[in-house]
Amino acid sequence: MMNPVGIVTTALRRPQTYVGVARELASAARCAALYPGGLAETALRTGTPRGDRTHDTPVLLVHGYGHNRSGWFLLDRTLRRAGFTSVHTMNYVAWGREGVAELAERLSRRVDEIRRLTGADKVHVIGHSMGGVLLRYYVQELGGDRYVDTAVTIASPHEGTMAALAGIGAAARDLRPGSKVTRRLASGVRGTDVRWVAFYSNLDLLIQPASSAMLRHPAMRSTNILVKDQGHLTIMMAPVVARAVVDQLEAAETGDGRVLPMPRPKAVAVPATTDVAAGAAM
C-alpha cells in the first residue's frame, strides 16, 4: 500500500489533479451563490408526471455538513426529467448541539412525512457527505431498513474523516475517525433488504482517507463506485453522477438488481461485495 507521502506525490504529478481542483473551486463558488436560496425548507408536495415514463417511489435528498438543499439543484432536475414524480429535500443545521443520532431522528420523521403524503411503503434516499452518514444511522439504528428501498451515499465519511477535526458542533465530533458513532455503525452492520450504493472519489480532500466514503462491510452488499478526479462538492453536482444515480434508482424501480456502469465517457464500475472500482484509484 502506498504511503501518504507517495499518494500526494503521485497526485501532484497528474494533470487531472489540477483540473479537478479547479473544478472544485468553481463548484464551491456556485454553491455559495446558490446557498441563500436553499435556506428555507420547502413544503412537501407530490410532483407532476412528465411524459409516459414515471417512477412513483418518492426520493429524498439529504445534504451534508454546512450545506442546505440548494446543492441538489442538478440531481433534483435530473430525477424529475427521468420521470420521478416525488422528489423531496431535508434541511438541517449541523454545527449545533444535535449530533448524528439526533439528526437521523429528524431524517426518520421526514421519511414518515413523505410516506404519509404519498402513501408509499418505501422511499429512495440519497445523502451527500454527512447526509449519507445520517442515512446509514437511520437504516441501521432507527429501523429505517423497513422504509428505505435504495440508499445512495455520495462522498460520505462512513469510517470518519480527518477533516472533521476542524469542524464545530456535536455532528462534527461524530464524524471523526474512531468516534462513538463511527464505531457503532461499524459494529452494528447487519444484512437487510436495503440496496446500498456508495459513490466516492480519489480527489476528495474533505474525506480522508478516501476509502472512508466506501461501504466495505460484506453484509451490506454495497456497490461502491469510484468517480475519478471529482472534489467533495463537484461530485454531487457532476452531470455524470446525476445520470448514474438515476440509473441506479431506475434499476431499483424495474427490479433489475444488476450493478450498473457509470455513464460514458467516464470509467465503468464493476461489482464486488465490498468494492466497485471504476478505473484506477489514486
Side-chain angles (χ1 to χ4, degrees), residues 35-256:
Y35 189 89
L39 289 172
E41 185 66 274
T42 56
L44 294 177
R45 62 183 184 275
T46 55
T48 302
R50 294 186 178 184
D52 298 329
R53 184 181 60 177
T54 62
H55 306 297
D56 294 329
T57 303
V59 181
L60 175 59
L61 309 176
V62 187
H63 66 78
Y65 183 93
H67 212 162
N68 63 32
R69 64 180 179 85
S70 63
W72 293 117
F73 69 94
L74 176 64
L75 183 55
D76 183 296
R77 184 174 62 208
T78 304
L79 285 164
R80 294 181 189 278
R81 287 179 174 175
F84 286 88
T85 62
S86 186
V87 183
H88 311 275
T89 58
M90 167 187 159
N91 266 5
Y92 63 90
V93 176
W95 46 77
R97 295 182 178 180
E98 291 182 305
V100 165
E102 292 79 12
L103 293 172
E105 289 276 5
R106 294 181 56 185
L107 170 57
S108 176
R109 293 193 293 271
R110 191 67 167 174
V111 170
D112 289 345
E113 292 172 355
I114 292 169
R115 291 178 59 245
R116 284 195 298 269
L117 172 71
T118 62
D121 293 328
K122 292 192 174 185
V123 301
H124 302 309
V125 185
I126 302 166
H128 173 249
S129 193
M130 191 174 83
V133 178
L134 301 185
L135 168 56
R136 185 173 169 192
Y137 196 98
Y138 167 55
V139 169
Q140 285 189 209
E141 304 296 327
L142 303 178
D145 58 299
R146 294 172 293 173
Y147 308 120
V148 175
D149 184 317
T150 299
V152 179
T153 69
I154 302 173
S156 296
H158 295 288
E159 299 171 12
T161 175
M162 298 304 294
L165 294 172
I168 59 175
R173 291 193 294 272
D174 288 342
L175 297 181
R176 294 169 184 170
S179 71
K180 182 178 178 180
V181 166
T182 56
R183 287 185 280 111
R184 181 170 180 174
L185 289 177
S187 63
V189 175
R190 55 187 172 81
T192 69
D193 292 332
V194 177
R195 180 169 178 257
W196 286 96
V197 182
F199 291 88
Y200 70 103
S201 173
N202 60 311
L203 199 62
D204 189 339
L205 299 181
L206 292 184
I207 306 299
Q208 295 296 322
S211 59
S212 179
M214 302 169 69
L215 289 166
R216 300 195 285 182
H217 197 291
M220 301 187 78
R221 304 187 307 278
S222 174
T223 300
N224 289 296
I225 301 177
L226 170 63
V227 187
K228 291 202 67 178
D229 301 324
Q230 302 284 347
H232 191 68
L233 294 173
T234 307
I235 193 172
M236 78 175 298
M237 301 167 66
V240 68
V241 174
R243 293 196 302 271
V245 170
V246 167
D247 286 346
Q248 297 293 338
L249 297 192
E250 286 187 328
E253 292 291 293
T254 60
D256 185 348

